[in-house]
């Protein structure tokens, strides 16, 4: 079977929504990042049509940029959610089965292992980072000073994911175990639950922990994908232009659900080598891992990195001074915690 090619009028973003999942591509390339790189090359070879957003005109339009960015984020978020949801569900089901076998809400040390979660973080940062880096590099090709290969991006983002995970895995693992234990302990004192037979209890628990796993994965993915994407955009700009070769701007989803500190930060501009000042904290980009939970969890903000020489070309948004409201993450229209 031939490899997929873009349909007439299909943008790169639309093509990348289905190309990596094509049976022929999946059969030949097992790693998603490889499939993504191959699909990018297939698009380049097959079409010279303009992308949904590309910095080749005299003006950089914020609204177009954000819509294109939002599309990339939703692709990444949907892909990463599946991995984390399946992992959380599998580990929770193991805990349920152990609980039904022993009648105890303890003994969960073998679940939610640090090594497993570290690997998930590395994969998340490698996959999301490479996707965003290729997209950013492609769209700012007019200003490229230094080019990078997909393999270079993968190595860089995998290393960052490893460092990032070192600070997060113990907390993530510990919280999942505590939540599992807390739910099961409550059920030990529930007479209606205790009256169920093992099959009934297992069905109820699996349904309940499927919902918990979905919420756990959504909450984590919304924050960490934002972090990975904004880090990738910033790092790509740094590699392409050097830290002194670009400016960055903080963009907030101004839809009435934003944090006050983030509303005040909206439109803040700094040099590429300087941090933003947001809520009394110095942050390199939205969802910076160094930020406090109040400044980071479920943040929906975006960093716009643009090279020197394009700064005077930036257009204001055309939505009456407010940022487009659909920036952020959603799965089946669900939102766990508002920004």
């Amino acid at each position: 079977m031939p490899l997929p090619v873009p349909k007439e009028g299909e943008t790169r973003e639309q093509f990348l929504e289905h190309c990596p999942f094509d049976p022929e591509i999946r059969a030949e390339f097992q790693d998603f990042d490889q499939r993504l790189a191959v699909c990018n090359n297939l698009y380049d070879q097959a079409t010279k049509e303009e992308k949904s957003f590309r910095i080749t005109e005299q003006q950089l339009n914020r609204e177009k940029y954000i819509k294109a960015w939002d599309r990339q984020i939703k692709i990444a978020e949907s892909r990463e959610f599946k991995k984390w949801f399946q992992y959380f569900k599998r580990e929770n089901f193991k805990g349920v089965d152990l609980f039904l076998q022993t009648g105890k809400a303890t003994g969960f040390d073998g679940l939610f292992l640090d090594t497993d979660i570290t690997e998930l973080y590395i994969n998340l940062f490698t996959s999301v980072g490479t996707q965003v880096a290729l997209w950013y590099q492609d769209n700012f090709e007019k200003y490229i000073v230094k080019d990078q290969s997909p393999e270079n991006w993968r190595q860089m983002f995998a290393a960052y994911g490893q460092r990032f995970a070192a600070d997060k895995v113990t907390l993530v693992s510990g919280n999942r175990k505590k939540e599992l234990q807390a739910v099961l302990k409550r059920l030990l004192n529930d007479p209606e639950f205790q009256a169920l037979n093992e099959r009934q209890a297992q069905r109820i628990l699996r349904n309940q922990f499927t919902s918990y796993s979905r919420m756990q994965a959504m909450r984590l993915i919304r924050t960490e994908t934002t972090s990975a994407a904004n880090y990738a955009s910033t790092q790509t700009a740094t590699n392409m232009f050097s830290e002194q070769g670009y400016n960055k701007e903080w963009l907030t989803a101004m839809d009435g659900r934003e944090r006050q500190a983030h509303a005040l930060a909206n439109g803040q501009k700094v040099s590429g080598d300087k941090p933003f000042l947001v809520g009394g904290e110095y942050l390199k980009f939205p969802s910076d891992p160094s930020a406090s939970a109040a400044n980071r969890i479920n943040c929906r903000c975006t960093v716009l990195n643009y090279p020197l020489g394009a700064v005077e070309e930036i257009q204001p948004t055309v939505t009456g001074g407010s940022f487009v409201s659909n920036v952020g993450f959603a799965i089946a229209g669900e939102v766990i915690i508002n920004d």
Side-chain angles (χ1 to χ4, degrees):
M1 293 179 62
L3 294 177
V5 295
K7 300 175 183 177
E8 183 177 356
E10 188 172 37
T11 66
R12 180 183 296 272
E13 288 76 15
Q14 291 169 337
F15 182 61
L16 292 181
E17 283 187 344
H18 62 82
C19 175
F21 307 101
D22 179 85
E24 191 71 15
I25 292 287
R26 290 175 65 91
E28 191 168 345
F29 304 98
Q30 300 300 313
D31 181 74
F32 180 85
D33 294 327
Q34 288 180 318
R35 300 201 300 269
L36 188 65
V38 168
C39 289
N40 267 295
N41 289 334
L42 288 172
Y43 188 90
D44 288 335
Q45 293 169 10
T47 180
K48 294 183 179 180
E49 294 186 12
E50 288 298 315
K51 308 165 186 66
S52 63
F53 171 79
R54 192 174 187 176
I55 309 301
T56 55
E57 302 176 355
Q58 280 299 306
Q59 293 181 316
L60 191 165
N61 186 291
R62 279 185 181 82
E63 188 167 7
K64 287 184 179 179
Y65 178 86
I66 290 304
K67 286 181 178 178
W69 170 271
D70 190 34
R71 191 179 187 86
Q72 290 297 314
I73 293 303
K74 288 180 178 179
I75 293 171
E77 185 258 1
S78 179
R79 180 182 66 241
E80 298 306 315
F81 167 78
K82 295 174 184 176
K83 302 174 187 177
W84 287 82
F85 170 56
Q86 291 299 326
Y87 176 73
F88 285 161
K89 186 171 74 169
R90 184 173 69 247
E91 295 301 288
N92 279 322
F93 280 15
K94 289 179 184 178
V96 166
D97 292 343
L98 186 62
F99 170 73
L100 293 174
Q101 291 169 12
T102 64
K104 298 178 180 179
T106 57
F108 302 138
D109 291 343
L111 303 179
F112 301 103
L113 297 177
D114 288 1
T115 52
D116 294 342
I117 297 173
T118 296
E119 188 64 27
L120 282 166
Y121 268 120
I122 292 174
N123 288 336
L124 185 151
F125 272 87
T126 303
S127 180
V128 176
T130 303
Q131 174 191 333
V132 170
L134 290 171
W135 172 81
Y136 182 90
Q137 180 175 275
D138 194 36
N139 285 307
F140 280 89
E141 64 181 4
K142 174 183 176 181
Y143 300 95
I144 286 180
V145 177
K146 295 185 292 182
D147 206 348
Q148 295 283 335
S149 71
E151 184 56 34
N152 288 340
W153 291 129
R154 282 193 288 271
Q155 292 177 2
M156 180 186 304
F157 297 131
Y160 185 80
Q162 178 84 52
R163 297 194 301 272
F164 183 92
D167 293 330
K168 302 294 181 182
V169 291
T170 300
L171 180 63
V172 172
S173 175
N175 284 345
R176 298 295 82 77
K177 292 175 187 177
K178 288 178 182 177
E179 290 168 359
L180 174 66
Q181 190 173 44
V183 172
L184 297 179
K185 278 186 174 180
R186 287 198 299 271
L187 293 176
L188 284 174
N189 299 316
D190 186 333
E192 291 185 5
F193 179 82
Q194 292 300 317
L196 300 174
N197 61 42
E198 184 174 344
R199 178 172 295 184
Q200 291 171 326
Q202 183 186 59
R203 183 176 66 254
I204 289 174
L205 286 173
R206 288 198 168 197
N207 287 337
Q208 188 170 359
F209 277 101
T210 294
S211 296
Y212 285 156
S213 299
R214 181 175 292 107
M215 293 175 64
Q216 291 163 349
M218 288 173 66
R219 188 177 299 118
L220 183 144
I221 285 300
R222 180 170 185 173
T223 298
E224 307 305 15
T225 306
T226 303
S227 182
N230 281 313
Y231 168 76
S233 172
T234 302
Q235 188 60 48
T236 305
T238 298
N239 281 28
M240 288 170 60
F241 314 120
S242 82
E243 284 190 332
Q244 290 78 34
Y246 72 98
N247 291 325
K248 55 189 181 182
E249 180 176 350
W250 185 290
L251 300 176
T252 302
M254 300 291 288
D255 55 8
R257 298 183 294 128
E258 69 280 355
R259 297 170 173 87
Q260 182 179 11
H262 291 193
L264 293 173
N266 187 39
Q268 185 179 150
K269 302 180 183 70
V270 296
S271 172
D273 60 343
K274 304 295 183 184
F276 296 104
L277 179 59
V278 182
E281 298 180 318
Y282 289 102
L283 307 178
K284 294 180 180 178
F285 46 82
S287 283
D288 186 333
S290 69
S292 64
N295 239 347
R296 184 172 188 274
I297 299 299
N298 276 352
C299 173
R300 298 174 294 136
C301 301
T302 304
V303 61
L304 169 58
N305 301 297
Y306 49 87
L308 299 180
V311 58
E312 70 279 3
E313 301 170 359
I314 301 289
Q315 285 185 347
T317 179
V318 296
T319 55
S322 63
F323 190 48
V324 288
S325 63
N326 64 344
V327 175
F329 301 91
I331 299 175
E334 297 181 70
V335 177
I336 300 301
I337 300 176
N338 290 335
D339 191 4

